[in-house]
Amino acid sequence: MDYRFYCMTLRMSIDCNGCYQKIRRALLQMQELESHLIDRKHGRVSVWGAFSPQDVAIKIRKRTNRRVEILELREAAGPGGGDEQGAGGGQMPPN
């Protein structure tokens, strides 16, 4: 199946260190995620990768037994897939 590259922000309850570890383990087990960021203070989890957003939210819900709310979903350029630098050879412009 062909997935798009997304950046998704979720709201989750991260009450204690055990909750944090449970969420972290669940994210590390998911092969479709490129990277993740867990913000304990605000109870937010950001994930990046080529995936189906609903499938990832459901998997996290099942593996952590925590309520998951999708706050933000953005389509992002894939790793190395964006042509932001054009055909100029990838050199940085002088400051």
Side-chain angles (χ1 to χ4, degrees), residues 1-87:
M1 191 173 246
D2 186 31
Y3 293 119
R4 294 184 178 150
F5 198 83
Y6 288 105
C7 174
M8 180 168 66
T9 304
L10 308 165
R11 183 184 348 223
M12 297 183 71
S13 175
I14 309 171
D15 302 326
C16 62
N17 195 37
C19 301
Y20 170 82
Q21 291 297 329
K22 185 185 276 189
I23 292 168
R24 184 174 178 271
R25 275 193 305 270
L27 293 172
L28 289 173
Q29 290 174 356
M30 299 177 71
Q31 300 297 319
E32 58 265 38
L33 300 181
E34 292 285 327
S35 181
H36 68 270
L37 176 69
I38 302 172
D39 182 4
R40 289 170 129 178
K41 185 177 178 183
H42 297 104
R44 307 243 168 130
V45 176
S46 298
V47 294
W48 295 270
F51 56 81
S52 169
Q54 294 82 8
D55 291 347
V56 168
I58 290 168
K59 282 182 185 178
I60 293 172
R61 164 72 178 101
K62 287 182 178 179
R63 290 181 182 176
T64 62
N65 200 23
R66 298 236 168 248
R67 188 170 148 245
V68 176
E69 180 182 349
I70 298 175
L71 295 178
E72 182 181 6
L73 178 65
R74 289 179 300 173
E75 200 170 324
D83 231 359
E84 294 89 13
Q85 301 208 352

